[in-house]
Amino acid sequence: MGGKSSPSNSQMVQFEMEQANEAKQKEADRQARLNVGKEAIDKLFGADNFGDAFYNKYNKASLDYTLPQLETQYGKAKRDMTYDLARAGTLRSTAAGEAQGYLENENAVNEAALRAKADTDTASLRQSIASQQQQAYNQLYATEDPAVAANAATHAVANAQIAQPNISPLGDLFKPLIIGATSGLGSYASDAGVYKNLKANSPTGSGSLTTTY
């Protein structure tokens, strides 16, 4: 009887091997494209663009804006306190020394809060940039096109490099010490409730003091 003969076992094996080799080569080509894209993304988001120098500059930009304002407010608060002490006739008293201590403590609390905020904002920027890098990876794996992913990453990096701290003028960080001539600070300071006079007026919500003496 006529007709086509079935493929031999050796032909089937050869065909399967060719298919396997083709699939293996396709996967190797795919991995090569992904590696090229990943290397490009890693370089764009690497230390050359986003090293410690970049984040330190960002942190410093925040403090360069806020700390001079704090210094100005502290100077004014100190002048006002000195004037009020002189007017009350207590400039050289123990009360004056304690008042200065309160003011310096309040200044230290405010400065620590501003530095902590700068650190928190810098950490948020690090996290944002890491998230953008992950998005670039996701696009690379979705498209398997290293050029498309690298172009998107380049755009994201360019925007991140010009990021500036979200800053605005500081509110009043120091509550004035209300100084009178009728009583001394010592008796007030001995009151167990003195710390209740700390007002939520610093950048972290604590640290301002109103004292009557």
Side-chain angles (χ1 to χ4, degrees), residues 13-26:
V13 169
Q14 181 65 28
F15 176 76
E16 290 174 356
M17 289 179 61
E18 289 175 354
Q19 290 291 96
N21 288 336
E22 183 178 348
K24 184 177 180 180
Q25 185 60 50
K26 285 183 178 179

Side-chain angles (χ1 to χ4, degrees), residues 104-180:
E104 290 178 357
N105 179 72
E106 191 174 17
N107 185 55
V109 168
N110 285 325
E111 180 176 346
L114 293 174
R115 291 186 181 279
K117 183 178 185 304
D119 290 344
T120 298
D121 290 346
T122 302
S124 295
L125 178 63
R126 284 183 182 271
Q127 185 175 6
S128 174
I129 290 174
S131 177
Q132 292 177 54
Q133 184 175 8
Q134 184 59 54
Q135 289 175 19
Y137 288 149
N138 293 343
Q139 185 175 35
L140 172 65
Y141 296 135
T143 64
E144 298 184 8
D145 188 332
V148 170
N151 286 338
T154 299
H155 181 70
V157 166
N159 288 334
Q161 284 182 312
I162 60 175
Q164 295 294 324
N166 184 17
I167 52 181
S168 58
L170 300 179
D172 292 335
L173 300 178
F174 296 89
K175 290 288 187 180
L177 292 171
I178 303 172
I179 298 170

Side-chain angles (χ1 to χ4, degrees), residues 40-41 44 69 92 95 113 119 124 130 140 177 185 187 191 198 211:
I41 292 169
L44 285 166
Q69 293 184 62
R92 299 183 181 280
D119 290 344
S124 295
L140 172 65
L177 292 171
L185 179 63
S187 61
D191 191 329
L198 288 172
T211 305

Side-chain angles (χ1 to χ4, degrees), residues 14 20 28 37 80 90 93 117 160 165 180 190 204 209 213:
Q14 181 65 28
D80 290 346
T90 56
S93 66
K117 183 178 185 304
S190 65
T204 57
L209 178 69
Y213 60 96

